[in-house]
Amino acid sequence: MKEGKLIIFSAPSGAGKTTIVQYLLTKIPDLEFSISATTRPPRGDEKEGKDYYFISKEEFLHKIAKKHFVEFEEVYSGTFYGTLREEIERIWANGKTVIFDIDVEGGLHLKRKYGEAALAIFVQPPSLQVLIERLTGRGTDSKEKLQERFAKAEKELNYAPQFDIILKNHDLQTACAEAELLVTNFLKN
Ligand code: 5GP
């Protein structure tokens, strides 16, 4: 199988990476989104096979045992997320570049695995305070879940220097335009 390229967007949740990734998908036809598997239930109007493959914990553990994942993390306690090898291969077989919206450790894992074929971008929020406000404002998580997300976000901000690029998201429109330029340039070479 001919391997293609990969674009990795990582950040603490609430930093704006999902919005940036969705923007790039509308702008750059070469990109296709890597749909992760997760054991958490759908949020808001999320759709099966579009936002995630929503699977049971049993099925997830079975896929780990069968080595179906390129990487996986227990991102929050008891909640697993992972990238399926067949998902990446499906996208490359379409002649497309894979784009990921993934947590920080998962992103670094993929970067180590794919090296020069991957562009790893860390989306940096203006501050931890802004991040906390954004996560709270989303109103989709319980108080306990929010606390867990805050704690994880604080830890994840320290990983930024390990990425190829740190993209500041102070203003979403500017960040989207910068991301578009970075990705377009990477795909040219
Ligand atoms: P959410 O529950 O907000 O959709 O996602 C929680 C976190 O898990 C986000 O940072 C998201 O990017 C990350 N995530 C989504 N898919 C994967 C995956 O396949 N692997 C890893 N390691 N993290 C993922």
Side-chain angles (χ1 to χ4, degrees), residues 172-189:
L172 194 55
Q173 224 174 344
T174 311
C176 283
E178 281 175 14
E180 189 177 352
L181 203 61
L182 287 166
V183 172
T184 309
N185 282 336
F186 179 74
L187 295 183
K188 268 188 205 148
N189 302 313

Side-chain angles (χ1 to χ4, degrees), residues 17 36 40 43 52 71 73 81-82 101-103 149:
K17 69 180 182 303
S36 297
R40 82 152 165 76
R43 208 168 48 206
Y52 283 106
E71 65 77 38
E73 302 275 339
Y81 296 78
D101 172 343
I102 191 172
D103 92 319
R149 282 178 187 264

Side-chain angles (χ1 to χ4, degrees), residues 71-91:
E71 65 77 38
F72 69 89
E73 302 275 339
E74 188 175 353
V75 174
Y76 302 109
S77 69
T79 309
F80 292 84
Y81 296 78
T83 305
L84 295 160
R85 189 181 314 280
E86 66 193 73
E87 179 69 8
I88 297 181
E89 289 176 355
R90 177 183 72 76
I91 294 170

Side-chain angles (χ1 to χ4, degrees), residues 23-42:
Y23 169 83
L24 293 174
L25 283 163
T26 66
K27 287 285 183 173
I28 307 175
D30 264 356
L31 300 178
E32 192 168 339
F33 182 62
S34 167
I35 303 162
S36 297
T38 183
T39 62
R40 82 152 165 76

